[in-house]
Amino acid sequence: MLSIGKLSPGRADYYLGTVAKGAEEYYLGSGEAPGRWVGHGAERLGLDGTVGANALRDVLAGRDSDGRSLIARQGPERMPGFDCTFNAPKSVTLLFTLGDDETRRHVRAAHDAAVDAALAVLEAEACRVRRGRGGATVLPGEGFVAAAFRHRTSRSGDPHLHTHVVVANLARFADDGRWTALDGRQLYAWCRTAGFLYETHLRAELTGRLGVEWGPVRNGIADVAGIPRRVIDHFSQRRRQITEHMAEIGSLGGHAAQVAAYATRDAKDTTVPFAALKEWWQTRAAKVGLDDSTLAGVCDRTTRQLPTRDDIDDDKLNRRLDAPNGLTEHRATFDRRDVIRQICAELSAGAGCPDVLAFAEEYLQSHHVVALAETGGDRIRRADGRSAPIPTDPQRWTTPDMLRVEQLLVRMAAARSHTGAGLAHPDHVDAAIEGRTLSDEQEGMVRRICESGNGVDVAPGVAGSGKTHALAAARDAWVASGRTVIGVALSAQAARQLEAGSGIPSMTIARFQRALERPDDPGLGPDHVLVIDEAAMVGTRTLVDL
C-alpha cells in the first residue's frame, strides 16, 4: 500500500540519520540503505545516484545545489515536501527478512521495481503545478524531485520492508521554466491507485522471480500463499499499537488511523545489529509456525515466469469488471482510477503497471462502458478534519447493465406513487408536530412523507439541516397510526446515530438483508415503514433490493 504524509521542517534528518555508515555496517550491522535520487525533476537539477545530506536539505528548502532559491516567494510556514511510503505486505516482508540470501535479493529487487513502476505513474498523473489567478489553472510539472529510502524494520522493531519516497514540494513547468510548489491535491487523489499499482507490480515481480502463489486480493493487497495468517498477525505489532489506540479513544476511519500512527510512534532504534534482529525474528517465527521448511515451501509453487499482457484473459477480465460485484458494486459511475484499481484487484498473480494501464485504456474505449456527460469532482480530508476539493478527470463512465438497473429502480419507485403506502393519520401527524419545535421545512417534510401515500419518498437535505430530528416526529406519527418503523444505514455507527436521533430502531443494511433471508423471519408487511439513512451513499443495486 501507499501512504502519504506532509513533511515538517527538519524532517530530512530522520531519513539521513537512519542510513548505515557504509555497506559493511548495512549488511553486517545496523542502519538502513542509503537513499537514491528518483524523479525527472531530480535529473533536471543534476541529482543522481546516492542522496547526499546537503543536497536533500537544499531541495526540501527549495534551493538548488548552489544554494539559490528555486521558488520566488517562500513563506515562513512553507511545507518542505511529502513522504510517500510504499509498504510491502507483511508476508512479503517475512520472505525478505527470513529467507536465504537469494530469496532476499529477489524480494528486494522486486520491491524496488514495484516502487519505481508505481512512482512513475504517480509522477505522470500527479506532478502538477498551479498557475493563474488563485491558482485556478492546473498544469503538468516536469517531474518529481525525490529521494527514495528503503527501510527493513518498523518503529516497533518488527520486520517491515518499505520505502520512503521523499518528494520535495517543488516542480517546474516546462513552458514558462518556473519552479513552484506542487499541487499536493493531485498526490492524494492518486495515492490509493498508485498503492494498488505498486501491489500488483510487486506480485508480478515475485511470481516471476520466485514462483510464489498468492492469496485473495483484499483492498488491493494479497499475501504470499503458504505463510500462515497467525505469523502475519504476530509480526504486526505496529498495526496493533495503532488499532488499540483507536479503540481506546473510540475513533474510526483513515484520518483517525493517521492520528493514532503519529500518537503511538516511537523513535526507531537503528543501533541494534540486523543479525541480532534476524535471529530474534527467526526464533519468534518458529514459535508461531514459520520454520525453514515452511518458508522453503513458499517458493516455486508455480513457474518462475513474469506475467505479461498476453497472460491476461481479456474476456474473463472484462466479465469481472462488468459484473454486478465488479466496478458498479458500490458506485453507479466510475473514472479511470476506479478502473485501474479494479483491474489490479482482479489480477491475483499481478501484472506490470504498463500492462494494467494499457488494459484500462482498452476497456474504457470498448463497448463494455457508456461515457457520461458528467464532470467529475472529489474531495480530500485534511489533517484538521476539514475537506477540500481536488480536481479529477472530468470524464466518467458506467456500464450498460448499471443503466438498466437504474431504469428499473426509477420504474419501481414511480409505479408505487400514491398507492397508500406508509400513511399516518392526519391527527397523529398534527400531534407529533405539535410536540416538537420544527422549522417550516422540517414540518413540511414530516407531512409529506407521512401523508403522500407513495411507496418511495425522498427527503433531501444538507448535513445539519435537522432531517433526523424531523424523522423523530414522523416516527411518532407512524407508530401512533399502527405502523412498524425500521431504520437502516451503511455503517453501524450511522445506524446508532439514526436510532439515537430519531428513536427509530436501526441496524446496518447488511444485517437487515441477512435477517430477511432467514427462514424464521416474518419479513416485511404492508404496515412496515423502512427509513434508509443517507440513501444517496447506498449502491443502486442495494436500493433496488430494498
Side-chain angles (χ1 to χ4, degrees), residues 99-300:
D100 57 29
D101 289 344
E102 181 190 6
T103 299
R104 287 171 50 76
R105 177 173 57 81
H106 280 306
V107 175
R108 181 170 59 244
H111 170 73
D112 288 347
V115 169
D116 290 346
L119 184 63
V121 177
L122 189 65
E123 183 177 47
E125 301 290 349
C127 183
R128 299 290 185 268
V129 296
R130 298 168 71 181
R131 294 288 189 271
R133 185 179 180 84
T137 303
V138 179
L139 299 168
E142 283 188 315
F144 292 145
V145 181
F149 294 86
R150 186 193 336 110
H151 289 181
R152 52 192 173 182
T153 61
S154 69
R155 292 176 178 273
S156 59
D158 272 342
H160 178 35
L161 178 60
H162 61 289
T163 294
H164 295 276
V165 179
V166 181
V167 179
N169 186 19
L170 74 164
R172 183 179 182 272
F173 178 48
D175 287 6
D176 60 20
R178 284 172 49 206
W179 291 85
T180 50
L182 283 171
D183 180 6
R185 300 174 301 170
Q186 301 286 349
L187 278 174
Y188 289 100
W190 273 87
C191 174
R192 188 161 179 255
T193 305
F196 274 58
L197 286 167
Y198 159 77
E199 295 286 347
T200 195
H201 197 101
L202 178 66
R203 292 198 298 274
E205 287 281 342
L206 288 176
T207 299
R209 291 173 176 274
L210 295 174
V212 299
E213 292 184 335
W214 300 90
V217 182
R218 297 188 177 94
N219 293 321
I221 302 171
D223 276 304
V224 177
I227 296 183
R229 183 74 238 176
R230 62 182 178 277
V231 182
I232 295 172
D233 293 339
H234 176 78
F235 281 99
S236 301
Q237 292 186 84
R238 184 74 183 113
R239 177 176 176 80
R240 283 199 301 275
Q241 287 176 348
I242 294 171
T243 55
E244 287 172 1
H245 184 272
M246 293 172 65
E248 286 176 7
I249 62 176
S251 60
L252 298 169
H255 174 63
Q258 184 182 41
V259 172
Y262 282 112
T264 59
R265 70 180 185 181
D266 299 319
K268 181 184 287 188
D269 186 356
T270 59
T271 63
V272 181
F274 184 74
L277 280 174
K278 184 173 181 179
E279 183 177 351
W280 178 45
W281 294 333
Q282 287 174 327
T283 301
R284 289 169 54 193
K287 290 181 177 178
V288 289
L290 186 62
D291 54 21
D292 290 342
S293 62
T294 304
L295 201 60
V298 167
C299 299
D300 293 312

Side-chain angles (χ1 to χ4, degrees), residues 296-359:
V298 167
C299 299
D300 293 312
R301 292 189 169 204
T302 187
T303 305
R304 295 195 182 196
Q305 182 175 335
L306 187 71
T308 66
R309 176 69 180 83
D310 294 337
D311 295 319
I312 299 176
D313 185 332
D314 290 10
D315 291 338
K316 181 179 179 181
L317 184 52
N318 282 327
R319 288 195 300 272
R320 288 294 306 121
L321 297 178
D322 295 345
N325 61 345
L327 276 165
T328 57
E329 180 178 15
H330 301 295
R331 63 182 77 86
T333 70
F334 46 84
D335 63 14
R336 178 165 162 261
R337 290 171 299 160
D338 295 321
V339 175
I340 291 170
R341 290 195 300 269
Q342 192 71 32
I343 293 170
C344 291
E346 298 294 343
L347 300 175
S348 59
C353 289
D355 291 335
V356 173
L357 297 181
F359 189 89

Side-chain angles (χ1 to χ4, degrees), residues 428-429 432-433 436 438 446 450 468-478 502:
H428 296 316
V429 176
I433 290 173
R436 286 178 172 79
L438 300 176
V446 173
C450 288
T468 306
H469 178 62
L471 278 173
R475 181 253 178 201
D476 287 352
W478 278 320
S502 67

Side-chain angles (χ1 to χ4, degrees), residues 488 509 512-513 516 524 530 532 538 541-546:
V488 294
I509 292 174
F512 176 70
Q513 290 176 309
L516 289 179
L524 299 179
L530 181 66
I532 305 172
V538 179
R541 299 180 195 280
T542 300
L543 284 177
V544 168
D545 292 341
L546 292 173

